[in-house]
Amino acid sequence: MDVRIGSTLLRLMVGDITKQDTEAIVNAANSSLMGGGGVDGAIHRAGGPRILEECKKIVAQIGSLPTGRAVMTTGGNLKARFVIHTVGPVWSGGGRGEDELLRNAYYNSLSLAGDKGIRSISFPSISTGAYRFPLERAAAIALTTVRDFVQEHDFFEEIRFVLFREDDYRVYRQAWEKISGED
Ligand code: AR6
């Protein structure tokens, strides 16, 4: 599904984020930045060892990455030139600031990409796998954050949500319809 928000194309699709040709892709990492399972594992496998080398340098400089923050490395062997690593919150019932932390993960990824002059970026569904954030709630936060960001900054040509499963895509699509219907 493609929609236009000002000069930015917002695309929701089913696919594998490691195959995307946007300038940057976003990794749903953990604070250690040392790789893991899920989309994190897939990105490190497809991108090769240079990504981990750069992650190690970042950790040596700033320590572990706090939840909601974002840093950038090369894309290594990926089509994307850059990987933006962010850390979404672990869901623990909703009373520990999870919504705001998830919003921060999207917002800070977009903001960092913008600072680096990146014009196209792909996101996975951050926190909705191993971190168990409820999907519908996460989709609404992800899409509202992106929509609000794009309404304030017009430098992105394209922002993609690359959903790994058809069911996740359907939930994101419905969330978008609900959000855009409220305008
Ligand atoms: N392309 C797009 N989406 C994918 C791909 C892929 N290749 N592979 C999985 N997904 P998760 P989290 C989807 O668990 O919940 C890691 O071990 C997946 O179906 O990857 O933020 C990290 O190191 C799900 O919808 O990330 C952390 O420790 C979404 O990506 C922890 O998991 C996110 O699931 C982070 O957990």
Side-chain angles (χ1 to χ4, degrees), residues 109-181:
S109 298
L110 291 165
S111 195
L112 177 60
D115 289 348
K116 302 286 183 186
I118 288 164
R119 298 284 170 263
S120 59
I121 186 166
S122 298
F123 282 97
S125 179
I126 299 168
S127 281
T128 65
Y131 284 177
R132 301 180 318 274
F133 203 109
L135 187 59
E136 215 173 300
R137 185 164 171 150
I141 292 167
L143 292 167
T144 326
T145 306
V146 165
R147 184 208 46 195
D148 293 353
F149 191 95
V150 165
Q151 281 171 349
E152 280 171 27
H153 310 88
D154 62 1
F155 42 72
F156 284 109
E157 285 164 14
E158 185 177 338
I159 300 177
R160 269 181 216 168
F161 279 91
V162 182
L163 290 326
F164 206 44
R165 300 180 320 142
E166 191 77 41
D167 285 354
D168 294 359
Y169 169 74
R170 241 176 264 127
V171 170
Y172 269 72
R173 221 188 133 121
Q174 277 162 9
W176 177 257
E177 275 153 21
K178 199 163 167 216
I179 288 159
S180 48

Side-chain angles (χ1 to χ4, degrees), residues 30-32 62-71 85-88 101 105 108:
N30 59 62
S31 291
S32 79
I62 67 163
S64 61
L65 189 66
T67 305
R69 299 277 299 279
V71 294
H85 305 261
T86 190
V87 183
L101 290 166
N108 289 327

